[in-house]
Amino acid sequence: APQAACTNMSLRPNDKRTLYVGGLEDNAKEADVHAAFIPFGELVEVNIPLDNQTGKHRGFCFVEFENAGDAAEAVFNMNNAELFGRVLKVNPAKPMAVTERSGKAVWHADADAYFEAVEEFTEEGAKHQDDGLEPAKAATADEIEPEPMTF
């Protein structure tokens, strides 16, 4: 069976042509999913997202049909069907939800440790201020001689 191209899915809000397929068996490939869903209509794409750390898929995929009627037929026939001994959950895909974590930087979980280290470093620096040295003095605006402007 031909394999659908893996490009950007055209998943839009209320797009009933794109389906979420959950419960994929660990060794399921795009070609397997394509073969299982092609009887219901022309497919635009099968996309199996991979886990960044393991390089393996995470047990779900998205299947995009040419038209919404074919996608609805696939949901009716494939939801709770078996593929490689696993029961599939097939539903119209929903747009990616914005979660509390989705708006934060990847390093956000380490932010507390970073700020604690900065605070500790600052406190350590304060202990060494009585070493007899004068702290650097910032220049004031009156002490800075402006340079002449040339045109």
Side-chain angles (χ1 to χ4, degrees), residues 100-119:
E100 181 183 334
R101 179 151 169 84
S102 66
K104 294 181 181 172
V106 173
W107 50 264
H108 183 272
D110 298 327
D112 289 339
Y114 169 78
F115 288 113
E116 286 171 11
V118 168
E119 186 177 318

Side-chain angles (χ1 to χ4, degrees), residues 83-96:
L83 182 65
F84 298 132
R86 300 277 301 268
V87 176
L88 299 178
K89 289 292 178 196
V90 181
N91 300 299
K94 297 176 183 164
M96 201 166 160

Side-chain angles (χ1 to χ4, degrees), residues 10-132:
S10 58
L11 180 60
R12 297 181 300 271
N14 304 322
D15 183 0
K16 302 298 182 194
R17 298 177 310 130
T18 304
L19 305 179
Y20 164 85
V21 179
L24 288 182
E25 195 268 335
D26 291 342
N27 296 316
K29 306 277 186 257
E30 287 180 11
D32 301 322
V33 175
H34 188 277
F37 283 85
I38 194 70
F40 305 105
E42 276 302 308
L43 301 180
V44 173
E45 181 179 10
V46 173
N47 182 339
I48 302 180
L50 300 179
D51 184 288
N52 291 336
Q53 294 177 336
T54 66
K56 296 180 179 183
H57 72 75
R58 302 182 312 199
F60 67 91
C61 71
F62 297 97
V63 177
E64 183 180 0
F65 282 86
E66 282 285 333
N67 70 60
D70 293 342
E73 187 72 18
V75 170
F76 180 77
N77 285 282
M78 294 298 288
N79 189 40
N80 294 321
E82 281 190 25
L83 182 65
F84 298 132
R86 300 277 301 268
V87 176
L88 299 178
K89 289 292 178 196
V90 181
N91 300 299
K94 297 176 183 164
M96 201 166 160
V98 177
T99 64
E100 181 183 334
R101 179 151 169 84
S102 66
K104 294 181 181 172
V106 173
W107 50 264
H108 183 272
D110 298 327
D112 289 339
Y114 169 78
F115 288 113
E116 286 171 11
V118 168
E119 186 177 318
E120 185 177 312
F121 179 77
T122 306
E123 289 171 3
E124 195 64 33
K127 291 178 189 174
H128 294 292
Q129 280 189 342
D130 288 332
D131 55 11

Side-chain angles (χ1 to χ4, degrees), residues 144-151:
I144 299 174
E145 188 96 14
E147 293 199 20
M149 295 178 67
T150 58
F151 296 95

